[in-house]
Amino acid sequence: DKGVVVAGEKIYNTYCGSCHQGNGLGDNNRFPPLAGSEWVTGDKKRLIEVVLNGLQGPIEVKGQSYNNVMPQ
């Protein structure tokens, strides 16, 4: 449904895009990519928990280490 896609895009741009960038590739430094990330394409339960509860501490995404705070 196009309405769901538009709503999802608006939410992403409001809450996620400033760090993970509009294209989902991250900033190559502090904030990891979402596009093609094992965090997005892997365990859906883990992804939902990160979105709902945020994430803090060191993680590895696509072979690169990140250690920042993502708010819920």
Side-chain angles (χ1 to χ4, degrees):
D1 180 338
K2 186 177 179 182
V4 172
V5 172
V6 170
E9 181 179 22
K10 183 177 180 180
I11 290 168
Y12 179 86
N13 289 334
T14 300
Y15 297 104
C16 312
S18 60
C19 294
H20 297 288
Q21 307 304 305
N23 59 10
L25 297 177
D27 70 353
N28 235 0
N29 185 22
R30 297 176 299 153
F31 305 109
L34 299 177
S37 160
E38 64 274 22
W39 285 77
V40 174
T41 62
D43 182 359
K44 298 301 179 203
K45 183 177 178 181
R46 178 178 68 176
L47 176 61
I48 291 166
E49 287 183 15
V50 168
V51 171
L52 293 177
N53 302 314
L55 184 67
Q56 182 174 346
I59 62 168
E60 187 172 301
V61 179
K62 299 176 85 172
Q64 185 171 336
S65 295
Y66 296 89
N67 189 3
N68 215 325
V69 175
M70 187 188 107
Q72 58 191 41

